[in-house]
Amino acid sequence: MRLASGVPRVSILGPLLFAMYVSPIGQVVDTFGIQHHQYADDLMLYCALTASQLDDLSPLGRCSDAVSLWHHQNTLLLKRGKTEAVLFVTRQWLVGVDFSHTIKVAGADIQFSEAVKLLGVTLDTSLSFDQHVTNVVCACDFHLRSLRHLRQSLTFESAKSMATAIIGARIDYCISLLYGTKERNLNRLQKVQ
């Protein structure tokens, strides 16, 4: 079957044309006074809330309904399974927050998560980055163990270069986000390095 429209998946123009196609989503979101970030096919809605506003998330729900409708009208699919919600709060406020609240997105109730992963960085509710550091350390340990299997086939210098590249890239990625994190997190990263 031949398609009458569209571009090949690997074309140079594909990403640009897709960005142009989905750019009106920003206008839809702006009508609700909700902030948003859009990167390729990912859309992130966010807003500042007070404790009393947490009980009424209907503006955010109406906005997500409008975004879902826009997707439907423009023959795009909004994947409910990839939708996450998170509250970022101070540690003091964290004690009193009821995480049983849900938000309706595309007809589905989405429960608030303890953490979300965004562009490879795990953001937890108090932005402590404890979970992110744990994920980085686990990934580094995994790759170091894998490198051990190849060690006898490599020279010392090439093994050292590979380990530095593999571990260094993971530790350095978004390292500036860890400014002000706990000393324990920095020590764990230093130990892996």
Side-chain angles (χ1 to χ4, degrees):
M1 179 177 151
R2 291 188 66 123
L3 294 176
S5 62
V7 293
R9 193 171 175 93
V10 293
S11 76
I12 295 171
L13 284 178
L16 176 64
L17 292 174
F18 181 78
M20 290 170 55
Y21 185 69
V22 297
S23 66
I25 293 175
Q27 296 166 340
V28 171
V29 173
D30 288 342
T31 61
F32 292 90
I34 305 289
Q35 301 294 316
H36 74 284
H37 281 290
Q38 198 171 345
Y39 180 77
D41 63 345
D42 287 336
L43 175 66
M44 179 175 52
L45 305 176
Y46 63 95
C47 59
L49 298 171
T50 62
S52 61
Q53 291 172 316
L54 189 57
D55 293 329
D56 182 23
L57 297 172
S58 57
L60 203 52
R62 286 192 300 274
C63 180
S64 69
D65 287 343
V67 168
S68 179
L69 178 63
W70 186 93
H71 275 79
H72 179 72
Q73 290 171 338
N74 290 279
T75 63
L76 292 173
L77 179 64
L78 186 66
K79 294 184 180 176
R80 294 179 191 143
K82 293 181 88 179
T83 303
E84 296 178 289
V86 66
L87 291 170
F88 297 115
V89 297
T90 62
R91 287 193 182 108
Q92 294 81 12
W93 205 54
L94 188 61
V95 202
V97 173
D98 179 14
F99 283 97
S100 66
H101 289 282
T102 60
I103 185 160
K104 210 171 249 325
V105 176
D109 285 329
I110 305 297
Q111 185 87 28
F112 284 100
S113 303
E114 297 278 327
V116 293
K117 198 164 194 173
L118 181 64
L119 297 176
V121 177
T122 304
L123 303 170
D124 58 77
T125 55
S126 62
L127 294 176
S128 68
F129 293 98
D130 293 344
Q131 187 61 49
H132 175 69
V133 170
T134 298
N135 293 348
V136 169
V137 168
C138 287
C140 289
D141 286 343
F142 171 80
H143 289 291
L144 283 173
R145 282 192 306 276
S146 297
L147 188 58
R148 252 186 239 137
H149 296 290
L150 300 173
R151 176 61 190 96
Q152 61 272 17
S153 304
L154 302 170
T155 66
F156 176 75
E157 285 303 315
S158 60
K160 192 166 101 175
S161 293
M162 284 182 70
T164 302
I166 292 170
I167 303 307
R170 280 167 178 73
I171 290 176
D172 289 346
Y173 181 72
C174 292
I175 192 75
S176 61
L177 291 175
L178 298 179
Y179 177 79
T181 192
K182 298 173 194 165
E183 189 72 27
R184 182 176 63 91
N185 284 337
L186 297 176
N187 290 339
R188 292 175 67 203
L189 292 172
Q190 187 69 42
K191 184 177 176 184
V192 168
Q193 193 175 23

